[in-house]
Structure formats: C-alpha cells, structure tokens
Amino acid sequence: MKLSRKNGLRASAIGALVVSGALVLSACGSDDNTGGADGGDKKTTAASNIKCDGAKGQLLAAGSSAQKNAMDLWVKNFQAACEGVEVNYQPIGSGGGITKFNQGQVAFAGSDSALKDEEVAESQKICKGGKGVNLPMVGGPIAIGYKLNGVDNLVLDASTIAKIFDNKITKWNDPAIAKLNPGAKLPASTIQAFHRSDESGTTQNLGKYLSTAAAADWKHDPKSKSWPAQGGQAANGSSGVATAVKGTEGSIGYFELSYATSNSISTVDLNTGAAAPVKATTENASKAIAAAKVKGTGSDMALSLDYATKAEGAYPLILVTYEIACDKGNKAETLPTLKAFLNYTVSEEGQKVLAEAGYAPLPAEIAAKVRTIVPTLS
C-alpha cells in the first residue's frame, strides 16, 4: 500500500465520521505477552490496551466472509494479548453463520445484514431468557471488481450494474457501458459475471442497493441472501468470487474492498448522480455509513442505510457487518471471552486497525453506543 493511501486512510479514521480520540495501535503479530495484571483477571500487553477480563479457552464464531480480513487482524491482536485464548472464526458466509448461531454451535455470528424477525424468534431457543441482537462492528464498500485488458478506469451506474448481473447486458461494448465510458476501448467480448454461491449478506446488500438505486431494472427480492438472478457463474465466499475475477479475462464480480486490494483487482467507479463518479474507498464509504440510522430497539443496533445517496463523494454500495450474540443466555463458559473480544473489536484501538486494512471504522456515535451494550451481555 502506498504511503499516500495510508495517510488518507488514517485521516479518515480520525475524522468526524469515525472514531476520534487518542488511539493506540496494537502491535500486529507481537509476541510480547509479558504485560502484567491489571487487577483480577485483567491482563494487558506492554504494547496494547487490550483487556482480557478473564478470557480463556476457545471461542467459536462463524459467518460473513466480507469481514474475514478484519477478523484476522482482531484475532491476531487479541490472542497476542490474552495468553491461552483461541478465537476460531469460520468465514462461511452470513447465512451459514446465523444458522450455526441459532443451532448453538458458535458464541457469535458475523452477518452483513441484520437478523430477520423469524431468525430473532429462532434465536430465543438458544438465548435462554433473551434473544440474538445485532451489534454493528465494521463497515466498508462493496467493490465491483473487474478484469478487462486495456480498461484501467471503468464507470458504471446502478442501472447498468443491475442489467449486467441480471444477464440483460452481456457484452462489454454495450451502448449503456460505452455511454458511461466515452473514449474507453471496450471489447465486444462476453461479460463473465460472477456471484456468490453461498448465502451472503454481501449479496443481500448488493440487492438492497440495486433495488433502491435501480428499482426499474432490479426486480428481485432485496432481502434474499441467496443469489436471485438467472445466469452468471457462482463462486463460494468473497474470496472465491475475487479469485474467479482475478483469473478470468472479461469478468466482473462483487466483494468487500479488502479482497480487491489484496488481489490487485480493478474496481468500478459509481455514477451516483453526483457531480463526479465515486470511487470505492473507505473514506467514501464512511461518508455514506455516517448517514445510517439505528432502527433496532433496546440492545439491538440494527441500522438503516441510505443506498440511494447522491451526496458528493459518498459511495452508496456499502455494508455494515454485525456481530450477532445473545443479549441474555450466553454460555457461562464462553461469556467472559466473548465480552472481552467484542469489547476490543469495538474499542478505539480495535476500530483503528480497520482503516489500515481497507475497511471503514464505525462512525463515532454508533461505536459509542455499541461500547455501552457489550458489557451488558449476560
């Protein structure tokens, strides 16, 4: 990553839209576990403010593959700070994570969409005396990645994206694409469109964006985590779609921005109706996420996102990943580790590392609310 890019990300991370204040970056990969006790079971490392708060043993979790790269950082830092703790996160997709959570197989699930009413009802069987709640933890842009030799900059709008993924636009030199990219040398080759094969909150958020910003062209159920359209090719997980796009000339697909960055995949600029097309960046995603409204009640922090914003520099194709846990009725043996880990991920320190990894930290107001909820989990 170039130095100028890092500086831009750091500026975003400390701006008004995200967590502010004095941030202490935990040492990724540090082997220094010599920090002393901070009263009782509270341990910290010399290089970190992570509090272990009685964390011990193994913590199982599963879900969103979009947050995998963020989770990898969090797990690495947390395990370095808390000796003897293992956090095992399986990036099997939001749908799979929610299924495992509601079957009592994992302590928490990662999901790129909030629980549906029927999923909340089902969670009450596992959360004795309580229910599953949505705790927003990380945001970011869903990148539309592509591989097209000779085309370094590609602009698309919601309507064109909808028609491509709905198999209505099948050639790269289609007039709709050409109109958005004057002067580009677009080939007459067939578009190879890739989508997720597994149930995915990323798919659902793409559907919500297309249903909102291109309602006339995307008639599919915006609540579906399964791919709803005909045609195209399927791959498992965000990593699978990214790998397929990287290896296929004339391809296009969707995945969290960090997968595009780590695989050096070109990404589409969105024509939103603003003065200029908007790039998929953490800064631009933060501008859109900052307008989110809390629609959940009590300990539930489900958010309502504005997918149709035309604000200058706001990238509307976004997702917010939730960690889903029981508000009451968590297993006693994993509760201390669950709370300690989530306390870290939503902390100023945990949010700080997100910008370095191509994610958008939570807006300060939302992060502050989540920080008050995690300690109340029981």
Side-chain angles (χ1 to χ4, degrees), residues 6-371:
K6 283 188 176 181
N7 288 341
L9 291 174
R10 290 193 180 105
S12 172
I14 63 176
L17 298 178
V18 294
V19 178
S20 61
L23 304 176
V24 182
L25 178 61
S26 102
C28 295
S30 171
D31 292 324
D32 183 2
N33 295 324
T34 60
D38 185 21
D41 290 324
K42 294 182 180 180
K43 300 177 187 176
T44 62
T45 66
S48 171
N49 286 336
I50 298 174
K51 292 182 172 63
C52 300
D53 290 333
K56 60 183 179 180
Q58 187 180 60
L59 185 69
L60 298 179
S64 165
S65 63
Q67 71 166 358
K68 176 185 180 297
N69 294 332
M71 190 61 69
D72 286 347
L73 280 175
W74 285 332
V75 169
K76 186 176 184 180
N77 293 346
F78 188 73
Q79 291 183 166
C82 302
E83 186 176 357
V85 173
E86 179 187 354
V87 180
N88 186 335
Y89 182 82
Q90 297 177 306
I92 60 174
S94 299
I98 291 172
T99 296
K100 280 184 173 290
F101 176 75
N102 278 340
Q103 291 176 346
Q105 298 180 29
V106 294
F108 73 91
S111 177
D112 304 327
S113 57
L115 291 171
K116 299 177 182 178
D117 290 343
E118 57 268 29
E119 291 169 337
V120 174
E122 189 177 354
S123 74
Q124 293 175 313
K125 300 175 184 178
I126 298 299
C127 305
K128 302 301 183 182
K131 62 181 180 181
V133 292
N134 304 284
L135 302 174
M137 202 62 66
V138 56
I142 299 174
I144 303 295
Y146 70 97
K147 182 176 183 181
L148 196 60
N149 289 338
V151 180
D152 297 325
N153 297 292
L154 184 67
V155 176
L156 297 176
D157 58 15
S159 174
T160 306
I161 294 170
K163 291 175 182 177
I164 288 173
F165 283 113
D166 207 19
N167 206 34
K168 301 291 174 42
I169 290 179
T170 60
K171 300 292 184 181
W172 277 111
N173 64 346
D174 187 275
I177 300 177
K179 183 178 179 180
L180 291 164
N181 296 273
K185 296 181 179 180
L186 298 168
S189 56
T190 299
I191 298 173
Q192 307 292 331
F194 287 92
H195 58 263
R196 292 280 290 271
S197 61
D198 52 323
E199 286 199 345
S200 162
T202 310
T203 294
Q204 188 183 56
N205 279 277
L206 174 65
K208 289 179 178 178
Y209 164 72
L210 295 176
S211 295
T212 302
D217 301 301
W218 191 258
K219 300 296 187 179
H220 305 288
D221 179 7
K223 296 181 180 180
S224 177
K225 291 188 179 76
S226 300
W227 184 250
Q230 299 296 316
Q233 302 174 65
N236 188 65
S238 292
S239 60
V241 176
T243 298
V245 170
K246 183 178 181 178
T248 307
E249 172 59 23
S251 62
I252 192 168
Y254 60 95
F255 30 77
E256 205 281 330
L257 179 62
S258 65
Y259 289 92
T261 302
S262 61
N263 287 282
S264 300
I265 296 172
S266 298
T267 59
V268 167
D269 296 348
L270 292 183
N271 182 332
T272 64
V278 185
K279 293 185 177 298
T281 68
T282 57
E283 297 95 332
N284 294 341
S286 289
K287 293 178 182 178
I289 293 171
K293 305 296 183 183
V294 178
K295 64 179 180 180
T297 59
S299 296
D300 188 84
M301 286 285 292
L303 302 177
S304 177
L305 303 176
D306 183 4
Y307 296 99
T309 180
K310 296 181 181 180
E312 298 299 328
Y315 186 87
L317 181 45
I318 51 177
L319 59 78
V320 170
T321 289
Y322 302 91
E323 310 311 341
I324 294 169
C326 297
D327 58 355
K328 298 177 183 178
N330 291 283
K331 294 180 180 178
E333 61 269 26
T334 57
L335 180 59
T337 308
L338 171 68
K339 292 170 69 173
F341 181 67
L342 296 183
N343 272 325
Y344 162 59
T345 61
V346 78
S347 70
E348 291 180 346
E349 184 174 1
Q351 291 291 300
K352 169 64 178 176
V353 301
L354 294 177
E356 300 289 346
Y359 292 90
L362 295 175
E365 182 179 355
I366 293 174
K369 289 181 180 178
V370 178
R371 289 184 196 125

